[in-house]
Amino acid sequence: PGTWTVEALLRTSLEEAGRHVPATTATLEAVPEGVLLRCEVEDLDRCAHLLAGLPFALAVRRPPELRAALEQLAERVRQLAASAGAAR
């Protein structure tokens, strides 16, 4: 697909989310559970990198393919950590 609609629930305050998510990247909305992040992206892998770099917990609401991209990123980081440990 060309463009993905992303929604993720950030477990933080609107103020804290705004410090880490540029307004040009996504819209942020305070909701009872935290902050709802919404954006349109062409590359789910880049979106996964952005979300993984945030300093608070989150839950991907959609698309499910973003969860898969996060899992692939986590596996890559595990492999990097293992190879870094073996290089010592």
Side-chain angles (χ1 to χ4, degrees), residues 13-82:
S13 67
L14 185 58
E15 180 182 355
E16 185 67 14
R19 287 189 194 116
H20 297 278
V21 180
T24 56
T25 301
T27 60
L28 301 172
E29 175 188 350
V31 294
E33 306 89 359
V35 176
L36 186 61
L37 174 146
R38 289 188 183 105
C39 62
E40 302 286 327
V41 301
E42 292 182 7
D43 186 340
L44 288 178
D45 292 331
R46 288 189 70 203
C47 186
H49 279 268
L50 172 95
L51 293 177
L54 296 175
F56 29 79
L58 62 93
V60 173
R61 288 195 171 170
R62 68 178 174 146
E65 292 87 350
L66 179 54
R67 286 191 211 67
L70 282 164
E71 289 171 6
Q72 289 173 351
L73 176 59
E75 180 56 31
R76 177 157 161 43
V77 170
R78 278 191 289 277
Q79 290 173 358
L80 288 170

